[in-house]
Amino acid sequence: MLIYVLLGFLCEKDMTGYEIKQKMTLSTSNFIDASFGSIYPMLKKMEKGELIKYEEVVEEGRFKKSYGITEKGKSEFIEWLKTPCTFSPFNYEYLNKLFFYKYLDDLEVVQLISSFQTTVASEYNKLASIEEKHVHEMGVYEHATLMFGKEYYQMIMNWHDRLTRKITGKKENEHENDKEF
Amino acid sequence: MLIYVLLGFLCEKDMTGYEIKQKMTLSTSNFIDASFGSIYPMLKKMEKGELIKYEEVVEEGRFKKSYGITEKGKSEFIEWLKTPCTFSPFNYEYLNKLFFYKYLDDLEVVQLISSFQTTVASEYNKLASIEEKHVHEMGVYEHATLMFGKEYYQMIMNWHDRLTRKITGKKENEHENDKEF
DNA sequence: ACTGCCATGTAATTTGTTACATGATTAC
DNA sequence: GTAATCATGTAACAAATTACATGGCAGT
């Protein structure tokens, strides 16, 4: 979902395709790092759909297209942001969204996270039940990949718990010792 | 890399596309779970490339294509399996390979895992250095996604450590208390 | 002069998905 | 008889990649 990363970045300020790519490499390469070959055509497509607009500028003799988000783009982005994630283990959609949660209210974020936690927990349980039924017929490596899934989900749940505590703690100015997150 | 999952499954025994899909859902859906719309065309393509062959059989009045791997397919699969993974966070290639590591020697596996550990550690360090340089200009959520990456890599390293201990422990009949993996 | 970075873009290809279409068997 | 499962397949579409192509500026 490259489109939403681009919209998210353009929410903050106007940028060129090149600048967006740089920012992606720095801050989102962790879960998404598109190439120029997908960024530029996507920007063009979004411009046609009136989600973004651009000005042609010349800086230091260099030709640039400075893209900015439109009202239509902004509202479509926020709407996407508010939609709860369907979870799939190697789908970075939720990180993509979470990265931009600053554009939502704390309360809304906590609710979204909580609903996501439920989904993750149910995935964890699915794996746990597969493990229970089929461990005996599983080899070391098959079992290891299953453990990977379980540990992955567990990590996500812990990570979410810490994040939630950080958000609510920040809001209610709690005692919680949160320096560590 | 659907092709290698299919080859991997067919290494074990002859199967129909339908059976493969079932097995995937049960055992690899954790990291890959292709649809019929990709399995069947891929099987056809692999058959043309002589990586697999099939027999038409009729069982319980049902028409089936029972696919089996060829020597060419087997050697291409093993070659792929031996190639060290290029790591990318939301790329399940290494799980895909690891799932089939039973077809390699323990020694080879330990070496592959060890080389992979190095890659993961270097990714972890990349994130850590980004964090060090840019925490001050990062919002809560941006930081959270970065922490996700770090914790994810940490989890992988721990998971690999346990797996390595299990493999070497098994081989050398060590004292190690490995019941827990 | 040459290398590296800035900046944009296209074309071909890869790798899948979803939706559709068919038809047989099994269990209720 | 009808719903679920077994079994295969195609067509249209989606989302992104890699490789290629262009050109200007800045520093050595």
Side-chain angles (χ1 to χ4, degrees):
Chain A
M1 297 283 91
L2 178 58
I3 185 169
Y4 295 110
V5 190
L6 301 183
L7 285 177
F9 279 132
L10 293 177
C11 269
E12 192 135 344
K13 60 167 185 155
D14 290 10
M15 284 193 230
T16 67
Y18 195 87
E19 283 175 306
I20 291 174
K21 165 70 177 158
Q22 279 182 309
K23 190 132 199 210
M24 280 181 76
T25 302
L26 192 72
S27 56
T28 70
S29 58
N30 197 20
F31 52 95
I32 187 168
D33 192 15
S35 61
F36 287 123
S38 46
I39 292 173
Y40 286 120
M42 181 57 85
L43 285 172
K44 198 166 256 182
K45 195 179 153 195
M46 288 159 75
E47 198 265 323
K48 271 182 195 162
E50 291 180 340
L51 301 174
I52 56 175
K53 58 192 183 326
Y54 71 91
E55 283 175 82
E56 296 192 4
V57 293
V58 177
E59 258 170 48
E60 297 149 346
R62 282 193 196 92
F63 161 80
K64 291 179 189 186
K65 280 186 174 180
S66 184
Y67 283 95
I69 195 163
T70 62
E71 283 308 312
K72 187 181 170 192
K74 211 174 272 176
S75 70
E76 213 157 289
F77 177 69
I78 297 293
E79 203 180 316
W80 169 76
L81 216 51
K82 287 182 177 178
T83 311
C85 290
T86 54
F87 182 71
S88 145
F90 281 80
N91 167 352
Y92 46 75
E93 193 196 355
Y94 62 104
L95 281 184
N96 194 342
K97 278 186 180 162
L98 197 131
F99 188 85
F100 296 114
Y101 272 0
K102 61 181 166 185
Y103 295 116
L104 298 181
D105 298 336
D106 280 354
L107 184 66
E108 200 148 23
V109 170
V110 172
Q111 281 167 353
L112 282 167
I113 289 180
S114 154
S115 106
F116 191 68
Q117 282 285 57
T118 312
T119 318
V120 176
S122 115
E123 289 299 316
Y124 179 90
N125 290 333
K126 257 189 227 169
L127 284 191
S129 100
I130 286 179
E131 191 188 12
E132 210 180 323
K133 279 175 206 148
H134 300 278
V135 225
H136 55 281
E137 64 199 52
M138 271 189 240
V140 177
Y141 298 111
E142 186 170 349
H143 189 216
T145 58
L146 199 147
M147 287 306 292
F148 181 96
K150 282 180 70 184
E151 290 177 29
Y152 178 61
Y153 296 145
Q154 222 145 29
M155 182 224 94
I156 295 179
M157 291 188 278
N158 293 336
W159 169 73
H160 267 154
D161 279 342
R162 279 194 290 280
L163 181 59
T164 305
R165 258 184 284 126
K166 194 173 187 186
I167 299 166
T168 55
K170 187 186 67 183
K171 206 177 182 180
E172 296 156 23
N173 219 15
E174 285 282 21
H175 46 82
E176 205 69 52
N177 188 5
D178 269 335
K179 283 173 194 165
E180 229 8 79
F181 187 76
Chain B
M1 298 285 86
L2 178 59
I3 185 170
Y4 295 110
V5 189
L6 301 184
L7 284 177
F9 279 132
L10 294 177
C11 268
E12 192 135 344
K13 60 167 183 153
D14 290 10
M15 283 194 229
T16 68
Y18 194 87
E19 281 175 308
I20 290 173
K21 165 71 177 156
Q22 279 182 308
K23 190 132 199 209
M24 280 181 77
T25 302
L26 193 71
S27 57
T28 71
S29 58
N30 198 20
F31 53 94
I32 188 169
D33 192 14
S35 60
F36 287 121
S38 45
I39 292 173
Y40 286 120
M42 180 57 84
L43 285 171
K44 197 166 258 184
K45 196 180 152 193
M46 288 159 74
E47 198 265 322
K48 271 181 194 162
E50 293 180 338
L51 300 174
I52 57 175
K53 58 191 183 329
Y54 70 90
E55 284 176 78
E56 295 192 7
V57 293
V58 178
E59 257 170 47
E60 296 148 346
R62 281 195 195 92
F63 161 81
K64 291 180 191 190
K65 280 185 175 180
S66 184
Y67 284 96
I69 196 162
T70 63
E71 281 309 312
K72 187 182 171 192
K74 210 174 272 178
S75 70
E76 213 157 289
F77 177 69
I78 297 293
E79 203 181 316
W80 169 77
L81 215 52
K82 286 182 177 179
T83 311
C85 288
T86 54
F87 182 70
S88 147
F90 281 80
N91 168 350
Y92 44 76
E93 193 196 355
Y94 61 103
L95 280 185
N96 193 341
K97 278 185 181 163
L98 198 131
F99 188 86
F100 295 114
Y101 272 0
K102 62 181 165 185
Y103 295 116
L104 298 181
D105 296 336
D106 280 354
L107 184 66
E108 199 147 23
V109 170
V110 172
Q111 281 167 353
L112 282 168
I113 288 179
S114 154
S115 107
F116 191 67
Q117 282 284 58
T118 312
T119 318
V120 176
S122 117
E123 289 299 317
Y124 179 89
N125 290 333
K126 258 188 225 170
L127 283 192
S129 101
I130 287 180
E131 192 189 13
E132 212 180 318
K133 281 176 203 146
H134 301 279
V135 224
H136 55 281
E137 64 199 52
M138 270 188 241
V140 176
Y141 299 112
E142 187 171 348
H143 189 217
T145 57
L146 198 147
M147 287 306 293
F148 181 97
K150 283 180 68 184
E151 291 176 28
Y152 178 60
Y153 296 145
Q154 222 144 32
M155 181 223 97
I156 293 178
M157 291 188 279
N158 293 337
W159 169 72
H160 266 154
D161 279 342
R162 277 193 291 280
L163 181 59
T164 304
R165 257 182 286 126
K166 193 172 186 184
I167 299 166
T168 56
K170 186 186 69 185
K171 204 177 183 181
E172 295 156 22
N173 220 13
E174 285 283 21
H175 46 80
E176 204 70 49
N177 187 4
D178 269 334
K179 284 173 191 165
E180 228 8 80
F181 187 76

